[in-house]
Amino acid sequence: MDKAETRVLEMFIRVRGFGTAHAAVFPAPSRGGELFASLNTVISELESHAAAQFSSTRASKEGTTLKAVALANLQEDLEAISRTARALALTMPGLNDKFRLPRNVGAQAWLAAARSFAEDALPLKAEFIWRGLPANFLDDLQAGITELEQAVDRKGQLSGESVAASAAIDEAIDRGMQIVRELDAIVRNTFRDNDVTLAEWASARHVERAPRHTAPQPPATQG
């Protein structure tokens, strides 16, 4: 949740507290009692969605790191194969075209190149090994492909979870605001002759505004 959403949640919690303090005036069968109960449900949902959002956002950052590591490892393998292919091309013309590194820096472009390298290098496996690549270089390449694919999939999944949590927060806040608006009429009608309680209500339902940051004023010049 961002700061604005957090301030709204804090307002909901204050309004719930107002309802608890005046529960005798708003029994469960009354419309006011129903609304305070519904607001409590909204608060529970928001707290749950906020926790899910925080967890998925943190995991997404970790996923970004894992994706970057997997991509770097795969690039290293492909660079070794491409370098060796250039040496092979001295006696086997045309190999340079098959083992060119992608110019697009996106993960999907590197995955496509890696799959192509794996297929094209298989018939020449012995030649690559003869020129210094490890005997299991194709196995390592496939492992690198799988690692990056999984990292990309995981990153996308976590991003989707974060988006879903954000949407759920927006929806819950909309419902909560509607509840508070309806409660406002009920509370003001119920306590219309009680200025102290009305002031308490106004304070509870007030949403704090973000502080304004004013630019520092230049020092006054002396004449």
Side-chain angles (χ1 to χ4, degrees):
M1 295 178 69
D2 61 26
K3 291 181 180 179
E5 292 166 340
T6 299
R7 286 191 288 270
V8 172
L9 173 58
E10 290 169 349
M11 181 270 285
F12 289 163
I13 292 172
R14 290 195 302 272
V15 169
R16 178 178 64 182
F18 178 93
T20 300
H22 300 280
V25 183
F26 304 105
S30 69
R31 180 55 179 164
E34 290 177 352
L35 290 171
F36 279 115
S38 296
L39 184 63
N40 187 55
T41 299
V42 167
I43 291 170
S44 297
E45 290 177 9
L46 281 172
E47 291 171 340
S48 177
H49 296 322
Q53 184 188 55
F54 177 80
S55 177
S56 60
T57 299
R58 183 178 59 184
S60 182
K61 291 179 179 178
E62 295 173 356
T64 298
T65 300
L66 292 175
K67 176 183 170 183
V69 171
L71 179 57
N73 290 338
L74 186 62
Q75 288 171 334
E76 185 177 347
D77 289 343
L78 294 182
E79 287 165 1
I81 293 173
S82 180
R83 181 175 58 247
T84 308
R86 289 195 298 271
L88 272 168
L90 296 174
T91 55
M92 300 173 132
L95 286 186
N96 276 344
D97 293 333
K98 285 189 175 183
F99 297 97
R100 290 187 184 277
L101 296 173
R103 294 184 178 182
N104 188 323
V105 295
Q108 292 301 332
W110 285 98
L111 281 170
R115 297 183 190 109
S116 175
F117 276 32
E119 181 178 348
D120 291 337
L122 184 58
L124 301 167
K125 180 178 178 181
E127 296 291 342
F128 278 98
I129 294 172
W130 183 247
R131 285 162 179 79
L133 288 185
N136 62 342
F137 81 95
L138 286 179
D139 293 333
D140 288 344
L141 178 59
Q142 187 56 55
I145 292 171
T146 300
E147 181 184 13
L148 182 55
E149 286 174 339
Q150 292 175 346
V152 169
D153 289 346
R154 179 60 174 159
K155 183 69 170 57
Q157 176 188 350
L158 292 169
S159 296
E161 290 174 359
S162 181
V163 169
S166 296
I169 287 171
D170 290 342
E171 189 275 334
I173 284 178
D174 287 344
R175 282 191 288 119
M177 292 301 293
Q178 183 172 334
I179 290 169
V180 172
R181 283 193 290 270
E182 187 173 350
L183 275 172
D184 184 53
I186 294 173
V187 171
R188 292 171 70 180
N189 287 337
T190 302
F191 296 104
R192 58 184 173 275
D193 297 324
N194 190 329
D195 291 342
V196 172
T197 304
L198 288 178
E200 178 189 351
W201 167 249
S203 176
R205 70 182 297 269
H206 175 69
V207 178
E208 296 291 334
R209 294 183 179 273
R212 290 185 177 182
H213 298 285
T214 57
Q217 296 297 319
T221 58
Q222 296 182 352

